[in-house]
Amino acid sequence: MENLYQDDVTQWVGEYGLDLKRYFSSRVNLSDVDDLVQEVFIQLYIRIKKYGGQIENPRIYIYAMARNLLISHGRRQKSRCGGLHDSIDHKVDIPYMISPERTVMGIQAYTRVLEAILGLPPRAGTAFRYHRFEGMTYQAIAEQMGISKDSVKELIQRALTKVRQVAEEAP
């Protein structure tokens, strides 16, 4: 009996496999296409084995499964922030990118920026820290500091200009 299920699924792989690849390839990363196609047929096999019986219209059933898998895949990618990840280009020399010299340069740049922030005039430094580190809006900062919203904008702009100048300076 199990062989009968395998025969059905094997036939459907041959009949619908290529179309499913096209279906998925226009909707997901190419690296995920084969896995999704395989998952459709695995789920199909499990369903037939578990519940038995014939599927009246395998094409409709297979594409319904594919659509549901696509939705699940999209949810997983969204929850993992999949769209924000870049694949590593294997041609890039990773050890060069994280060399001791680059690490020291990064630490020096970080230290310069931190010193610039700490060296800001008191009102500009306070407005900058409220905005950048505490996530406060200009309006909330204005109320907290007892100044106008336009004054907050000006203070933060001056602070950003100073921090950028320091960040762009060579050591």
Side-chain angles (χ1 to χ4, degrees):
M1 189 76 153
E2 188 169 315
N3 207 15
L4 176 67
Y5 302 139
Q6 285 178 324
D7 291 345
D8 284 345
V9 174
T10 301
Q11 176 187 346
W12 293 333
V13 167
E15 196 170 334
Y16 302 110
L18 191 56
D19 288 338
L20 277 176
K21 276 188 173 190
R22 281 189 222 118
Y23 174 79
F24 285 127
S25 66
S26 65
R27 291 166 174 82
V28 298
N29 288 335
L30 291 177
S31 61
D32 296 329
V33 170
D34 289 333
D35 291 338
L36 289 170
V37 170
Q38 182 179 11
E39 186 64 27
V40 167
F41 291 114
I42 289 171
Q43 285 187 13
L44 185 61
Y45 176 76
I46 291 169
R47 188 255 178 224
I48 292 172
K49 187 175 178 186
K50 185 174 183 178
Y51 298 109
Q54 294 293 325
I55 295 176
E56 294 275 332
N57 190 334
R59 180 176 179 76
I60 291 174
Y61 195 84
I62 287 170
Y63 275 94
M65 290 180 80
R67 185 178 68 75
N68 291 338
L69 267 174
L70 192 59
I71 291 168
S72 297
H73 177 75
R75 286 182 183 148
R76 275 193 309 275
Q77 291 299 99
K78 194 179 215 180
S79 69
R80 293 181 184 171
C81 300
L84 300 177
H85 297 286
D86 291 330
S87 61
I88 295 176
D89 184 359
H90 296 288
K91 296 175 187 171
V92 174
D93 188 9
I94 300 294
Y96 167 75
M97 291 177 60
I98 54 174
S99 69
E101 294 83 11
R102 289 183 61 90
T103 303
V104 169
M105 289 169 52
I107 291 170
Q108 289 172 343
Y110 170 79
T111 303
R112 284 194 315 273
V113 169
L114 185 59
E115 287 173 355
I117 292 170
L118 295 174
L120 289 170
R123 287 174 37 143
T126 300
F128 181 82
R129 286 189 289 277
Y130 279 152
H131 183 63
R132 292 298 172 136
F133 299 124
E134 295 185 27
M136 293 174 67
T137 64
Y138 286 177
Q139 186 63 44
I141 296 168
E143 291 170 9
Q144 178 75 23
M145 293 179 69
I147 59 177
S148 72
K149 187 175 171 181
D150 288 334
S151 295
V152 171
K153 286 181 185 178
E154 187 177 323
L155 288 170
I156 291 174
Q157 185 58 43
R158 274 194 253 148
L160 282 171
T161 301
K162 176 69 175 167
V163 171
R164 280 190 192 120
Q165 285 173 348
V166 169
E168 292 172 357
E169 290 175 0

